[in-house]
Amino acid sequence: MKPILFFLFILLSFNSYGQKLEMTNKVGTFYEEGEQAFWRHMKRYIKYPVKAQEKGIVGISEVNFRINCDNKLESFEILKELGYGIEDELKRLLIDTEGNWLSCENRNENDVYNLSIAFSLKDEYKPREGDCDMVVNAMCDCKFIEDSVLEKKLDKALSQEKYAKAQEFLTQLINRYPNDEKYQEISNKINSKTKVD
């Protein structure tokens, strides 16, 4: 049985870096000090990379990881990448948890854990309920492109048959809303058109 992080509660607070956090998940019983200790660690030490803030990068980063019997991070797989140092930050935080997981006598060494964190700027981007485990919100003077603006740019690029440009805008929307079927359908259409051309 794979431990998967489940939706449990929403909690708003600020971490020591002035970033507002929403935690919406239950990590399970595999963290030695319990799920609350895991989320306290995440809340207290997570940093929204400055490069990502400056580029206006928002969306959901999702990773899978395993902890071996020596209580070390053994594998780290990026499933949904935002880039600009965000996944490096998630890996750094998970490495910081080494030594704090239950022994292999109390869990399966082969279990794969899933973590999805949304990164937002100035409360402008709100992931849909159930799309992620936690939200990191940088309260900075950063640029943010509204969803409606991205959708207009996407429509314009599609009408002009500029598929590479359309894919750029679409990728930003998919990063924000990975479970939105409408965006996935548009992506499939773009991919089919570019394969034919």
Side-chain angles (χ1 to χ4, degrees):
M1 180 174 143
K2 282 181 158 180
I4 302 293
L5 306 173
F6 295 103
F7 176 78
L8 178 64
F9 63 92
I10 296 176
L11 171 68
L12 292 173
S13 60
F14 285 87
N15 70 4
S16 56
Y17 301 99
Q19 298 163 339
K20 190 165 63 172
L21 303 174
E22 288 178 53
M23 289 174 283
T24 59
N25 135 37
K26 178 177 177 144
V27 79
T29 59
F30 300 100
Y31 195 68
E32 194 171 56
E33 297 171 25
E35 85 179 76
Q36 289 180 345
F38 177 80
W39 290 114
R40 268 194 311 271
H41 172 81
M42 296 296 284
K43 175 183 142 184
R44 184 171 185 187
Y45 296 109
I46 197 164
K47 297 178 187 177
Y48 200 133
V50 173
K51 262 182 12 184
Q53 291 180 44
E54 290 170 348
K55 292 285 188 182
I57 302 299
V58 298
I60 298 171
S61 176
E62 184 177 3
V63 299
N64 280 349
F65 65 98
R66 280 190 22 221
I67 303 293
N68 66 22
C69 286
D70 293 328
N71 230 316
K72 304 273 185 201
L73 181 67
E74 184 167 278
S75 68
F76 181 83
E77 177 187 10
I78 299 167
L79 303 177
K80 294 178 187 162
E81 182 175 10
L82 294 175
Y84 296 94
I86 288 174
E87 288 71 27
D88 294 335
E89 175 63 9
L90 294 180
K91 187 173 186 178
R92 180 191 69 79
L93 281 172
L94 291 171
I95 289 171
D96 282 351
T97 68
E98 290 180 345
N100 293 310
W101 295 87
L102 292 177
S103 70
C104 283
E105 296 165 2
N106 299 309
R107 66 176 172 82
N108 184 340
E109 176 184 15
N110 296 318
D111 286 343
V112 176
Y113 303 90
N114 180 271
L115 183 65
S116 59
I117 307 289
F119 289 81
S120 178
L121 298 172
K122 301 182 287 186
D123 273 337
E124 298 286 346
Y125 160 66
K126 304 256 191 240
R128 296 182 181 129
E129 188 174 310
D131 276 354
C132 65
D133 303 317
M134 184 174 94
V135 177
V136 179
N137 194 351
M139 306 308 267
C140 65
D141 190 23
C142 308
K143 69 179 180 178
F144 176 79
I145 302 173
E146 298 285 335
D147 294 346
S148 59
V149 172
L150 283 173
E151 287 175 342
K152 285 178 187 173
K153 289 181 175 190
L154 171 62
D155 290 342
K156 182 178 179 182
L158 288 172
S159 69
Q160 296 174 346
E161 297 183 2
K162 295 182 178 178
Y163 299 118
K165 197 67 171 165
Q167 190 64 52
E168 286 178 34
F169 301 126
L170 186 59
T171 297
Q172 291 180 58
L173 290 164
I174 290 173
N175 284 343
R176 295 175 186 193
Y177 309 107
N179 298 321
D180 192 311
E181 291 178 14
K182 173 179 76 173
Y183 297 138
Q184 296 298 333
E185 287 174 23
I186 294 170
S187 180
N188 292 339
K189 286 178 186 176
I190 290 173
N191 289 336
S192 69
K193 291 215 182 258
T194 55
K195 286 180 184 174
V196 171
D197 294 342

